[in-house]
Structures are given as C-alpha cells and as structure tokens.
C-alpha cells in the first residue's frame, strides 16, 4: 500500500486479554488508523465480507477454525490484504503449515512486542517479515530433518569431488539450485566446510567412505 496511507487492522485472537493487550500495545503504530478485535474465524469472515481490512493478525489456534485455514478463506475474499501469524505454536508441522500458507509475516507470542510492530511496518511496506524466534525455530527444524533423496544425491556428488557447476550440469539444474541445496545440507548436517560435510554424511550413513575424495 501507499506509504502515505494508513491501514486498517483486524486482530483475530480468542483470548480476550491477549487481544486487548495487543490492541493497546500496537494502538499507537503510525501506520495504522484503526484496530478491531474478534475472537472467531466466523466473525473475521463476516466482517471481511462487509469491508476487507488491509492487514490481519491471526492466531493459529481458534475455536471454530485454525488460522491456516482461515487465511485461505480470507485470501479469497480479500486478495490484496496482508496477513501476519501471531502464535505460540512452534511444532514442526505447524511451522511448515505457516510457511506454506502464504502469510506475509510470522511472529511468535514469545517475541517482544517490538517484533510485531516491526512485522506490521515491514508487511505494510510490501515486505515479508519473520521474527527472530521463528527463524530460530525453523533453523532447529532443519537440523532435525533428514536429507531428501535429491540432497543425498548432491551430497554423494560433492563427496566424489565434483564442483557445483559439474553437479548442476549432471542433474540438469542451475548452479544456484545446487548452491541452495548445498547450504541446506550443511545446515542439516551442522557442517561448516566441505570436508566436515562429507565426514558427517559418512557418519550418518548417507554416503559410503569409499566415495570420499576430499
């Protein structure tokens, strides 16, 4: 939205104390001209049918519909609106669902309120924003994920001594794609260099020691 315009915000939170606390804490945000609170997905949908809001701050766990499903419904009614999750949930499956929902921002309830204020500012300026705690949760999630078949294949080729360009040509993808996978593999295996990456790959049984050429 235009930087000179102020936005309307709907908070969807079923805990009244939390909702009122948020409204009070972010009530003076310079980018907002109005803030309203509802406690159910049904109320949010009804209000949006009447008049869409510029921004929605949504809890994942609501009494009548989870926030992830609610975003899908609201996007159909108001495709130009922006959406921020504000949640306590940091479970692996919920993190994945939030990321895949198309939300513009994700802030954990354990974050400082400044994180939510920053998220509102960034999202209204057209950017995505993910809080520091959320990013930490995602990094931890990646560390506990197993390697995919494609990642194992790339790890094997790295261990054979192939350069990024050669791996890309062999797998018919771009060098940037291989670099993206390589960084993910390194995070998952907690490796800081190629030699350690190969050693961890062998130790965890993804590749055989005979493959190693580093």
């Amino acid at each position: 939205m235009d930087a000179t315009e102020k936005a309307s915000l709907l908070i969807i939170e079923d805990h009244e104390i939390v909702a009122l606390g948020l409204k009070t804490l972010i009530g003076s945000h310079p980018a907002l001209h109005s803030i309203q609170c509802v406690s159910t997905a049904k109320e949010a949908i009804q209000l949006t049918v009447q008049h869409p809001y510029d921004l929605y701050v949504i809890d994942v766990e609501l009494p009548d519909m989870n926030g992830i499903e609610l975003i899908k419904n609201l996007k159909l009614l108001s495709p130009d609106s922006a959406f921020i999750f504000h949640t306590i949930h940091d479970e692996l499956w919920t993190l994945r669902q939030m990321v895949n929902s198309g939300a513009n921002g994700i802030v954990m309830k354990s974050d400082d309120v400044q994180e939510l204020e920053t998220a509102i500012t960034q999202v209204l300026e057209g950017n995505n924003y993910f809080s520091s705690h959320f990013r930490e949760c995602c990094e931890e999630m990646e560390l506990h994920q197993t390697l995919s078949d494609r990642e194992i294949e790339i790890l094997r080729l790295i261990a054979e001594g192939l350069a990024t360009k050669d791996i890309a040509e062999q797998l018919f993808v771009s060098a940037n794609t291989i670099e993206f996978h390589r960084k993910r593999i390194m995070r998952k295996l907690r490796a800081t260099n190629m030699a350690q990456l190969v050693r961890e790959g062998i130790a965890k049984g993804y590749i055989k020691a005979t493959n190693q050429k580093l």
Side-chain angles (χ1 to χ4, degrees):
M1 63 183 296
D2 192 298
T4 62
E5 297 178 2
K6 290 195 174 185
S8 58
L9 167 65
L10 182 64
I11 297 172
I12 308 160
E13 167 63 63
D14 64 323
H15 292 90
E16 185 178 3
I17 293 177
V18 176
L20 293 177
L22 287 177
K23 185 175 181 179
T24 300
L25 289 168
I26 62 177
S28 60
H29 195 291
L32 301 174
H33 71 73
S34 67
I35 303 175
Q36 190 167 349
C37 302
V38 296
S39 59
T40 67
K42 181 179 179 180
E43 291 174 287
I45 291 171
Q46 289 174 338
L47 287 176
T48 300
V49 169
Q50 298 169 15
H51 181 73
Y53 292 78
D54 299 305
L55 177 63
Y56 296 78
V57 172
I58 305 174
D59 189 7
V60 169
E61 189 172 353
L62 297 168
D64 54 343
M65 179 188 297
N66 72 59
I68 293 158
E69 285 300 314
L70 177 57
I71 279 188
K72 294 178 183 178
N73 284 271
L74 293 176
K75 278 179 173 288
L76 292 175
L77 295 170
S78 184
D80 294 329
S81 297
F83 303 89
I84 297 173
F85 276 122
H86 186 240
T87 182
I88 195 172
H89 292 281
D90 58 2
E91 304 89 353
L92 174 66
W93 177 243
T94 306
L95 291 176
R96 286 175 175 167
Q97 286 186 306
M98 286 193 289
V99 170
N100 294 331
S101 71
N104 306 91
I106 302 174
V107 178
M108 311 303 288
K109 288 184 178 179
S110 56
D111 287 311
D112 293 335
V113 68
Q114 286 80 9
E115 288 271 19
L116 183 57
E117 292 176 338
T118 302
I120 290 170
T121 300
Q122 290 295 315
V123 167
L124 289 176
E125 289 178 355
N127 305 311
N128 290 334
Y129 184 84
F130 304 102
S131 75
S132 54
H133 185 198
F134 176 78
R135 293 195 301 271
E136 289 171 4
C137 290
C138 287
E139 289 171 3
E140 187 67 18
M141 177 181 73
E142 281 198 336
L143 292 176
H144 288 88
Q145 286 181 317
T146 57
L147 298 187
S148 66
D149 290 342
R150 175 48 64 96
E151 287 169 342
I152 293 172
E153 184 177 21
I154 291 171
L155 176 60
R156 176 180 59 79
L157 295 172
I158 290 173
E160 291 178 356
L162 273 67
T164 296
K165 178 176 177 294
D166 299 324
I167 297 173
E169 290 176 354
Q170 185 165 325
L171 299 182
F172 303 103
V173 297
S174 71
N176 285 339
T177 297
I178 298 301
E179 278 300 298
F180 172 79
H181 282 298
R182 182 183 64 78
K183 290 177 181 177
R184 278 180 58 88
I185 296 168
M186 290 187 73
R187 285 198 297 269
K188 288 181 179 183
L189 296 184
R190 303 191 185 197
T192 57
N193 55 55
M194 290 297 100
Q196 186 180 9
L197 181 70
V198 172
R199 286 197 299 271
E200 290 298 322
I202 293 169
K204 289 178 169 56
Y206 287 118
I207 53 178
K208 296 179 181 180
T210 52
N211 288 337
Q212 189 175 7
K213 289 188 177 181
L214 294 180

